Amino acid sequence: MNASDNYMKERSKLPPEEGGGDWQRIHPPHDAPADPSKDPGSGTLDRVYKREKPPPTTYVVNECKGGDATNSGGRNDPNKKGERYQQGTPEYLQLQADNMAKNGKTPEERQAGEDLQQAIREGNVEYNEVKQPVDHSGNLGDTSVREYGDSIPGL
C-alpha cells in the first residue's frame, strides 16, 4: 500500500462531514501490477478515489510524490497549440480526465475519466499532492498532504 492509499484509509475513519466515509480507489485498480514499468504513467492521474455516500458522489485525486520529487513539468494541451499546464492546476486536472476518458487503456480507466469529467463540472473533486520523503538510508518519513484546491474553482 502506498502513501496515498494509507492517507485515504485513515481519512475513511473520519465522520463524513469531515471528509471521511467509504472511499474506494477506482484508478488504478487495486489489482494493477506493482511493477513500476507497468505504471499508468504519463497521460493519467496517480490515484483516484470515489465516495458515493453521503451524496453527492465525490472524488479525490491524489498526485503521489516520493522522496524529493516535485510536480511534473506539465502537459501540453493537444487542442491548444503551445499551451502547457502545470500539475496541480485546474487545467491539468481537466486535461488528464479528458485524456483518461478518451485514451484510457482499459474500460475502467475510460469510465474513471468520464466520471471525473462530470465531477469536475459539478465541483465535486478534491485535488491533492501526497508526499512521503525518504531519507538517505531509505527510511520513509511522515506523509504530508497538500490540497491543490485553492486554485480550482468550485473545489
Side-chain angles (χ1 to χ4, degrees):
M1 189 175 293
N2 72 17
S4 177
D5 290 337
N6 286 332
Y7 165 69
M8 294 306 293
K9 181 179 177 183
E10 288 303 310
R11 182 176 171 163
S12 290
K13 297 175 185 177
L14 296 172
E17 62 273 9
E18 294 178 26
D22 187 21
W23 289 100
Q24 301 297 315
R25 190 171 92 188
I26 63 168
H27 175 75
H30 281 287
D31 60 354
D35 180 353
S37 68
K38 307 268 191 275
D39 187 58
S42 180
T44 189
L45 298 160
D46 290 342
R47 294 284 188 271
V48 180
Y49 305 85
K50 177 181 180 178
R51 181 188 70 187
E52 296 184 82
K53 295 179 183 174
T57 299
T58 306
Y59 293 81
V60 169
V61 175
N62 289 336
E63 296 288 8
C64 305
K65 307 292 172 212
D68 293 334
T70 59
N71 287 327
S72 72
R75 182 163 172 82
N76 290 325
D77 187 337
N79 301 314
K80 297 179 181 175
K81 190 173 182 168
E83 291 289 331
R84 186 168 182 82
Y85 301 120
Q86 177 70 32
Q87 193 174 45
T89 63
E91 296 85 1
Y92 183 90
L93 178 61
Q94 183 69 61
L95 189 63
Q96 296 297 75
D98 294 348
N99 187 61
M100 288 171 62
K102 182 178 178 185
N103 302 314
K105 296 175 185 163
T106 65
E108 294 80 11
E109 184 177 348
R110 290 188 295 277
Q111 184 63 56
E114 289 173 16
D115 291 348
L116 270 175
Q117 288 172 320
Q118 180 175 343
I120 291 167
R121 284 191 300 273
E122 295 171 354
N124 295 327
V125 180
E126 179 183 311
Y127 191 26
N128 300 317
E129 175 187 73
V130 178
K131 288 186 91 165
Q132 186 167 34
V134 180
D135 70 17
H136 63 282
S137 300
N139 299 310
L140 298 176
D142 293 335
T143 300
S144 65
V145 179
R146 177 176 69 98
E147 187 174 355
Y148 292 130
D150 293 342
S151 62
I152 302 176
L155 300 186

